Amino acid sequence: MAQLANVHPATVSRALNNVSYVKPETKARIIAAAAELNYHADVFARSFKKGIRYTIGVVVPNVHMTIFDDIIQCIETKARALGYYILFCHTNDDPEIEAQCLNRLRAGFVDGIIIASTGQNNALLREIHLQGIAIVQIVRNHDEKLSSVVSDYEEACYKAVHYLYDKGCREIALINGPSLGRFAIKPYKTRYEGYKRAVNELGLRAICEFTDGVINSFASGVSCAKKLLDENPETDAIMTAVDVYGMAALRLLRERNIKVPDKIKVVSLTGYSVGNLLERSLTSFELSAKEIGDSATQIVIEEIEAKADNKPLVRHLTFAATLSERESS
Amino acid sequence: MAQLANVHPATVSRALNNVSYVKPETKARIIAAAAELNYHADVFARSFKKGIRYTIGVVVPNVHMTIFDDIIQCIETKARALGYYILFCHTNDDPEIEAQCLNRLRAGFVDGIIIASTGQNNALLREIHLQGIAIVQIVRNHDEKLSSVVSDYEEACYKAVHYLYDKGCREIALINGPSLGRFAIKPYKTRYEGYKRAVNELGLRAICEFTDGVINSFASGVSCAKKLLDENPETDAIMTAVDVYGMAALRLLRERNIKVPDKIKVVSLTGYSVGNLLERSLTSFELSAKEIGDSATQIVIEEIEAKADNKPLVRHLTFAATLSERESS
DNA sequence: CTGAAAGCGCTTACAG
DNA sequence: CTGAAAGCGCTTACAG
């Protein structure tokens, strides 16, 4: 490349990056040569030299049938616009896989990490952060020392109970994910808190089932719904932590020929757009995947680019969920 | 690091990579020092030196509510097991975004690319391939000069017609994506061919609607279904190219109070697991996301690692779709 | 305005 | 068995 244009590689770099003045005719010669050879500067080598990878690791539990499919698209779009790539990892909520992914990412491949963590690798995450890699938690804020972008699950769940109460429901049940003990995952825990707050306030009975094992499993949602109805035949509303559980509830209710919403109302607390695509559409508290994805990306890149200035930048953002009322309530 | 263990960096490299014999006590000293400093070799620098990126670019239209959410998880799992990362890009089926993504990927960041392309950047893809980057097409085989892993859409669609015919349907309609003209996308085109083959063979009338604009749009699926029913009130079966269109059909049929499957049967031709999570579950010809994802990853990595041997390795794999009979038919 | 040199953090023939 | 050197493909102060 350099020899074709008859200049020094340094000049090629200067010309192609518009980084310092190059004599117009030299520049023209370089550009012509680049076109002829179909030359593309090796971005990898540049990143290596400059110490910036222009890459963000995104670590999420799953994208299949979860809000993360939407969030990851928003992250990628935003990152691309800002000149960054996305390195994608999914953990299935297995702490070991998560640690494995994080350890590979830290080894020089990314400038920053956006993660919805299991909460079991906080120490590792802090270590990686200290090493100089920007970190933003999304959806699950397991460590307040690290930036986070989440929804207000407590409030959404609290409001959902009130919403159903106002509709006349008095036996309001919750199908939730792991929210107690060592393996509790933050948003489930917080939803449970919002649920209890509302239920206590309104003098209702708490009826709660926790899916165990695999998170976001339809089958697990169905068995929770079964157990719920068998043990609490008076139930007149079912709130579910995520859409897939809501779909599971709708499914079981149809099998049992229980009219929705007349007899039992169903509300999902993590609406992602599937709720509106159903035969009987699902009322839900919608998170804005775009708000979460966009701001997480923004924050992680700001943190990356502030590194030079050595400002510590830990920020916490919380978005409200908005009620989308549909047919199931 | 090297000075703490009191050895040359080269020795550190040898010890940590087990690449040549190092005196046990030296090695022990190095490992101890690495542990103390929490040292992780910079994989990026290594990749740079060795000319291998251990990274695969994955370019797909969308992951939200499409089979690609599943495929990309399978690719990532497989790639991780084989020591590769996934760089994720989504194009929204916009040829310009696709070109932009490809041009960034080619600039030294990946050893290989797995793509479900729009079909509008074949020349660019070949150029990138010639440049030495392995390429495997998934789901959409727009260029036979490049490896591909697809399902047999023609056959699946052909079989679906027969399946419905055998159930007594005589007015079998198809809601399809772009399958004609310059912007046709391969699997839609192939499904259409399978449809026509079966319909001709059975002496049926072809009733076909094509969604335009955004692929995989629920709203577009609903309007196709509307048009279909308005213009062909005798319709007794609706086949849809993808699950989202199937859901759209189910939705509209419920709104119109048309009994499924008694009056009209619905079959999706790209089952991904949502079909089984619905109130009325959706019969579909299931693609194996795992088969496609795993083998695409395998092939692209084989192609990458064969590069050294300079063997040209273009392979085409076709998997059959399997019928999952559910409530909608 | 542009060349020559140094260097990003590793790996790998080459010596010894 | 391990050091010293070269080099992956760029960028960027430093000269001139």
Side-chain angles (χ1 to χ4, degrees), chain B residues 82-102:
Chain B
L82 297 174
Y84 284 74
Y85 296 87
I86 292 306
L87 223 38
F88 166 71
C89 303
H90 83 290
T91 64
N92 258 319
D93 266 327
D94 177 332
E96 276 181 44
I97 295 181
E98 185 176 74
Q100 184 195 340
C101 290
L102 288 172

Side-chain angles (χ1 to χ4, degrees), chain A residues 180-312:
Chain A
L180 300 167
R182 172 157 155 44
F183 293 102
I185 288 180
K186 200 60 182 292
Y188 297 108
K189 194 176 163 190
T190 332
R191 286 188 191 100
Y192 190 49
E193 287 161 6
Y195 177 71
K196 282 188 302 185
R197 178 158 71 96
V199 154
N200 288 338
E201 207 175 285
L202 295 168
L204 304 178
R205 205 160 60 89
I207 311 169
C208 196
E209 281 299 326
F210 303 94
T211 58
D212 45 31
V214 196
I215 284 178
N216 215 52
S217 137
F218 183 78
S220 184
V222 170
S223 24
C224 282
K226 268 193 184 130
K227 194 152 172 248
L228 212 64
L229 293 179
D230 291 345
E231 297 177 1
N232 309 275
E234 310 294 287
T235 300
D236 52 15
I238 299 178
M239 314 197 319
T240 64
V242 295
D243 279 351
V244 165
Y245 298 162
M247 293 166 76
L250 289 177
R251 171 77 195 180
L252 183 73
L253 291 169
R254 180 180 154 244
E255 274 175 19
R256 299 206 169 173
N257 255 317
I258 299 176
K259 287 264 182 290
V260 175
D262 310 345
K263 190 83 181 26
I264 296 188
K265 305 196 193 313
V266 180
V267 171
S268 163
L269 299 168
T270 316
Y272 94 113
S273 36
V274 72
N276 208 18
L277 313 186
L278 304 175
E279 246 186 271
R280 177 186 333 276
S281 61
L282 180 59
T283 294
S284 57
F285 280 78
E286 304 267 328
L287 310 188
S288 172
K290 186 153 165 43
E291 280 178 341
I292 294 180
D294 281 3
S295 35
T297 312
Q298 193 89 49
I299 290 179
V300 84
I301 292 177
E302 277 171 24
E303 207 171 310
I304 290 166
E305 299 185 344
K307 213 166 45 177
D309 318 341
N310 227 344
K311 286 183 239 144

